[in-house]
Amino acid sequence: PDHAGCNLIGAMAQTLSRSDAKNKINRGAFHRKVVLEVVTQYGDLLCYAQPKHQRDKEVVLAAVASSSWAVKYVAEDLLQDDNFALDMIRANPMALRMLPERCRHDPDMVLAAVSGDGRCLSLSSLQQDEDFVREAVCCSAEALQFAPEPLKADFD
């Protein structure tokens, strides 16, 4: 048998239009496999998933990796788990902007985010802390552009 068509069908299934993905998750929101497939491409569609999927760590990490906006639809108990918040940041550093305020003041979380994307320094009040900024710039040179002006001169 000719299996060449199977690869094409598999490839098409992997790249849904946003509209098709939304329809698919609305029809199959109770099926974990469907939800996981959809949120891997369009993380913010986690909003259409059932609460049990919004508490499913694998589903949530797939959604957040795809879109930091998915954090808005994550179950509250997962948002209160600092270890899982760190996992979300590692999956998508910009998730820091959507996480609870306490995360943007936590040096470990902010450094994890800055290591992945230097722009994340701009999301934290820690950008005013000279020692922290030095450490952040060591993690990501890109973070320097978000350091206070007096500190930028120190790096020239």
Side-chain angles (χ1 to χ4, degrees):
D2 179 22
H3 295 287
C6 292
N7 291 337
L8 181 59
I9 291 168
M12 286 192 304
Q14 292 174 358
T15 54
L16 295 169
S17 71
R18 184 171 178 79
S19 174
D20 288 345
K22 185 176 175 183
N23 289 334
K24 188 170 187 172
I25 201 169
N26 278 330
R27 287 191 316 270
F30 50 91
H31 292 294
R32 184 179 188 276
K33 183 178 176 183
V34 170
V35 173
L36 191 55
E37 178 188 350
V38 169
V39 301
T40 296
Q41 290 181 50
Y42 301 101
D44 61 313
L45 293 184
L46 184 64
C47 67
Y48 295 105
Q50 290 187 336
K52 68 180 180 182
H53 299 302
Q54 295 171 342
R55 283 189 301 274
D56 181 316
K57 290 182 177 184
E58 183 183 4
V59 170
V60 166
L61 286 177
V64 171
S66 172
S67 171
S68 62
W69 289 98
V71 174
K72 290 173 46 174
Y73 311 109
V74 173
E76 188 63 32
D77 58 319
L78 291 182
L79 292 176
Q80 296 306 316
D81 179 340
D82 285 351
N83 290 324
F84 191 69
L86 202 49
D87 289 342
M88 287 189 279
I89 290 168
R90 289 180 184 128
N92 183 340
M94 291 307 284
L96 181 66
R97 69 184 170 166
M98 305 303 293
L99 285 166
E101 183 71 23
R102 75 176 196 293
C103 298
R104 292 189 292 280
H105 300 295
D106 182 293
D108 293 331
M109 289 192 205
V110 176
L111 275 180
V114 169
S115 293
D117 187 330
R119 297 175 299 171
C120 292
L121 182 60
S122 69
L123 304 173
S124 175
S125 62
L126 293 171
Q127 73 185 114
Q128 302 304 317
D129 179 320
E130 186 175 328
D131 292 332
F132 182 83
V133 170
R134 289 182 197 289
E135 191 172 352
V137 171
C138 287
C139 290
S140 170
E142 183 183 25
L144 182 59
Q145 65 185 311
F146 301 100
E149 286 303 320
L151 276 179
K152 287 181 183 178
D154 291 349
F155 287 93
D156 287 341

